[in-house]
Amino acid sequence: MSEQNKKKTAVITVVGHDRVGIIAAVSKLLAEQGVNINDISQTILQDVFTMIMLVDLADMRSDIKLLADELEHLGNELEISIRIQHADIFDAMHRI
Amino acid sequence: MFNEFEILETIRMFQEQHLDVRTITMGISLMDCATSDSKQTSQRIYDKICKQAEHLVQTGEDISREYGIPIIHKRISVTPISLVAASGETNDYTCYARALDRAAAEVGVNFIGGFSALVQKGYSNSDRALLASIPEALATTELVCSSVNLATSRTGINMDAVRDMGEIILKTAELTADRDALGCCKLVVFANAPEDNPFMAGAFLGPGEPECVINVGVSGPGVVKHALESARGQNLGVVAETIKKAAFKITRVGQLVAREASRRLDVPFGIIDLSLAPTPVVGDSIARILEEFGLETCGAWGTTAALAMLNDAVKKGGTMASSFVGGLSGAFIPVSEDEGMIAAVNSGALSLEKLEAMTCVCSVGIDMVAIPGDTPAEIISGIIADEMAIGTFNNKTTAVRIIPVPGKNVGDTVSYGGLLGSAPIMSVNQASPAEFIKRGGRIPAPIHSMRN
């Protein structure tokens, strides 16, 4: 993966109690912001709903800080935790 | 690209195990601020810091938000003021401390280090003036930290300065008595002080450092503790390996932040300091890691061995994760800033003497230890002399940051709040080293200093 693209990939993690409409709500917000979802996986880990999305921020309309605020706000509404982080952090920690 | 386990492991480190980047510290050279007029020099110091560090805090906050990494402190270290002020007309250096304080407040950092002098082999006139100004400087500023290097393995120990610092520490305590000797929390003496240390109170930008530089201090006792919980009952080889892996991951986070901060601020990257720095928060303690080794409480026999192994494994894991490592790089063992250390002191298991032994293998020394306010200056100098000897004769950095709290005695506790935490007053051996301290002079450098 090139340096340029790497910079624009982010990881969104959604953790909390499962309920109807989580994926829909998150995807809707991302679509409105021009953020493309590259990969999505979800699982129930120790009774906790966990969703991980790899997203592409290349055509994003706002910037990652505003998007982080909006996702946090959405998370508060749905009573779940939603975080977005540059993919670089996972790359740094888990790849040599 | 990443599996779920890796992503969740990272998230948990930040959310549950208190992983953070402890500090981004910008080193700023003040060499070109020197003039023969103290007012002009002070103004130049203020202007230069405000210009260089204008975007430091905002950049730190941006990186924190975008990467989801808590970055606790943004700080500044500067050229030792004794060098910058040497040609000025005044012997009262508090004006420079006030200039540093105002600049730090203006750019929004939470500490600025460098009200410092390097006196390991003797005093210049400027060093004397700086030392004499320390108590007043620390009592009349909020954000300024002061450090004095008293010894190195190459030069030996300046025992005149060791004697004087005992008195200066007491004077600093006295002038800040209304705040439980808060001034002493901002004052540290060193043997073998690193010139690129990003951590306070000992940060300064050494004379061999560049014009401006970014140094980053990582942290993460909680991550190491958590990793060790998964290795319960295993032999110590497995424990060492587990610590190394955790340290590697922690350091990579620091390296990423340092690289990004350096790029955005257009300031060269200096070093990553691989220190495990505790906070008073539960779950962020070095003492609790040592207990995870299998000790009933920190301070029990075996503590020094466990700490030695921890310190070494952190360095081995961290070194591979960063292109440049420096500063203090090891486990800190401050008392007031570590919930487990406080508990160990309160239970009677951890004495000042045991702490001294631990400093032979940790990254710094007797740190954030509160003692009775009526402790004589020569006893404080004796504590300093012993620490300086440990550092000088073992080729390592050691330090003393000790707080004689006026009006307080063993059994009392002082509370500073925030990261400085709270400290139980520790008992001090009252046998007098007065005649020894009074001799003054220098302790010659150890034989193994002659390596040429």
Side-chain angles (χ1 to χ4, degrees):
Chain A
M1 189 180 282
S2 77
E3 191 65 22
Q4 194 58 34
N5 284 340
K6 217 194 248 177
K7 282 259 171 281
K8 292 184 175 160
T9 305
V11 175
I12 296 175
T13 44
V14 180
V15 181
H17 285 292
D18 199 8
R19 54 178 286 177
V20 174
I22 294 179
I23 297 181
V26 176
S27 329
K28 179 163 171 280
L29 175 62
L30 295 177
E32 284 166 5
Q33 296 288 342
V35 175
N36 189 38
I37 300 172
N38 288 342
D39 192 10
I40 181 166
S41 75
Q42 66 165 70
T43 176
I44 305 285
L45 275 178
Q46 293 154 2
D47 295 332
V48 180
F49 170 80
T50 307
M51 177 169 74
I52 297 169
M53 287 174 154
L54 280 179
V55 297
D56 181 2
L57 307 182
D59 300 318
M60 180 169 49
R61 282 190 261 285
S62 60
D63 74 22
I64 186 168
K65 282 174 282 180
L66 294 174
L67 182 59
D69 289 341
E70 296 204 14
L71 285 169
E72 199 178 307
H73 184 68
L74 178 65
N76 290 340
E77 271 177 28
L78 299 174
E79 295 175 340
I80 50 176
S81 149
I82 310 181
R83 290 166 69 94
I84 182 166
Q85 292 166 284
H86 266 305
D88 295 14
I89 176 75
F90 301 96
D91 212 35
M93 201 178 263
H94 299 289
R95 300 286 177 270
I96 295 177
Chain B
M1 167 177 184
F2 308 109
N3 65 41
E4 283 161 15
F5 174 79
E6 289 169 337
I7 287 176
L8 292 177
E9 184 190 21
T10 302
I11 303 273
R12 288 201 180 111
M13 282 186 192
F14 291 121
Q15 283 190 329
E16 295 163 23
Q17 299 158 24
H18 308 287
L19 176 59
D20 54 51
V21 165
R22 185 53 50 84
T23 178
I24 300 180
T25 302
M26 177 183 270
I28 303 173
S29 169
L30 298 181
M31 287 295 193
D32 56 354
C33 298
T35 73
S36 55
D37 174 49
S38 59
K39 277 204 182 108
Q40 201 186 342
T41 305
S42 301
Q43 187 62 42
R44 283 188 178 202
I45 288 173
Y46 175 83
D47 291 344
K48 181 159 187 189
I49 292 169
C50 290
K51 182 161 170 284
Q52 287 281 5
E54 186 186 357
H55 303 296
L56 173 63
V57 172
Q58 187 58 48
T59 302
E61 282 166 9
D62 287 350
I63 294 172
S64 179
R65 193 81 178 119
E66 290 170 34
Y67 289 88
I69 304 169
I71 300 173
I72 309 298
H73 300 306
K74 277 69 74 178
R75 293 170 165 173
I76 294 170
S77 64
V78 298
T79 310
I81 291 297
S82 76
L83 300 178
V84 183
S87 52
E89 84 296 350
T90 177
N91 278 333
D92 178 4
Y93 283 8
T94 52
C95 57
Y96 305 114
R98 284 196 298 274
L100 294 175
D101 203 41
R102 280 190 293 123
E106 173 63 30
V107 298
V109 295
N110 76 331
F111 273 126
I112 184 164
F115 196 76
S116 305
L118 310 174
V119 301
Q120 56 267 22
K121 211 166 170 189
Y123 289 128
S124 68
N125 291 338
S126 183
D127 293 333
R128 278 184 208 283
L130 184 119
L131 261 69
S133 304
I134 287 174
E136 183 72 24
L138 294 181
T140 55
T141 59
E142 296 285 322
L143 309 174
V144 175
C145 289
S146 176
S147 56
V148 182
N149 193 58
L150 304 177
T152 69
S153 296
R154 295 290 279 203
T155 60
I157 306 172
N158 178 351
M159 288 297 288
D160 291 332
V162 167
R163 178 195 61 217
D164 296 344
M165 282 311 300
E167 284 163 15
I168 288 166
I169 288 170
L170 272 185
K171 182 85 187 295
T172 304
E174 197 182 297
L175 292 187
T176 51
D178 57 331
R179 286 161 282 167
D180 282 333
L182 179 65
C184 295
C185 301
K186 301 181 286 179
L187 174 58
V188 58
V189 294
F190 276 112
N192 294 322
E195 302 198 350
D196 51 10
N197 162 27
F199 286 102
M200 296 297 170
F204 64 90
L205 186 77
E209 292 285 306
E211 177 68 22
C212 191
V213 66
I214 290 290
N215 297 321
V216 166
V218 299
S219 180
V223 176
V224 174
K225 165 85 164 61
H226 180 82
L228 286 184
E229 285 168 11
S230 67
R232 278 182 186 159
Q234 311 259 28
N235 74 43
L236 290 169
V238 177
V239 171
E241 207 51 33
T242 306
I243 297 169
K244 277 161 63 180
K245 284 182 191 154
F248 178 85
K249 290 175 183 171
I250 293 167
T251 309
R252 291 281 281 202
V253 173
Q255 175 74 26
L256 175 67
V257 168
R259 208 179 55 215
E260 201 54 31
S262 158
R263 187 182 66 79
R264 293 186 191 193
L265 291 162
D266 195 22
V267 168
F269 158 61
I271 56 96
I272 300 287
D273 188 319
L274 308 176
S275 287
L276 285 183
T279 68
V281 176
V282 172
D284 209 15
S285 155
I286 301 293
R288 300 299 183 198
I289 297 178
L290 299 175
E291 289 164 8
E292 189 60 46
F293 274 69
L295 304 167
E296 183 185 348
T297 174
C298 177
W301 291 110
T303 300
T304 309
L307 179 59
M309 203 183 108
L310 170 67
N311 206 35
D312 187 60
V314 165
K315 287 179 199 168
K316 285 173 178 163
T319 305
M320 199 183 148
S322 172
S323 33
F324 295 96
V325 172
L328 298 161
S329 287
F332 291 168
I333 53 166
V335 172
S336 77
E337 299 170 355
D338 186 314
E339 159 273 321
M341 293 282 176
I342 296 168
V345 171
N346 284 334
S347 75
L350 183 60
S351 66
L352 204 44
E353 283 75 8
K354 187 64 183 176
L355 270 175
E356 179 192 359
M358 291 163 71
T359 66
C360 300
V361 297
C362 80
S363 78
V364 199
I366 301 273
D367 193 16
M368 289 302 286
V369 170
I371 57 171
D374 60 1
T375 307
E378 58 269 18
I379 288 188
I380 295 174
S381 292
I383 294 170
I384 294 172
D386 284 348
E387 275 303 308
M388 297 302 103
I390 289 169
T392 301
F393 287 78
N394 292 299
N395 280 310
K396 72 182 291 292
T397 302
T398 46
V400 176
R401 181 163 53 149
I402 201 161
I403 315 156
V405 188
K408 295 283 165 74
N409 272 305
V410 177
D412 296 335
T413 293
V414 283
S415 185
Y416 299 105
L419 280 186
L420 294 174
S422 67
I425 307 285
M426 293 184 76
S427 159
V428 179
N429 178 347
Q430 291 298 311
S432 177
E435 290 302 315
F436 172 61
I437 296 301
K438 210 165 74 184
R439 286 171 185 266
R442 285 155 51 198
I443 294 183
I447 185 72
H448 51 64
S449 70
M450 290 183 277
R451 289 177 167 179
N452 291 341

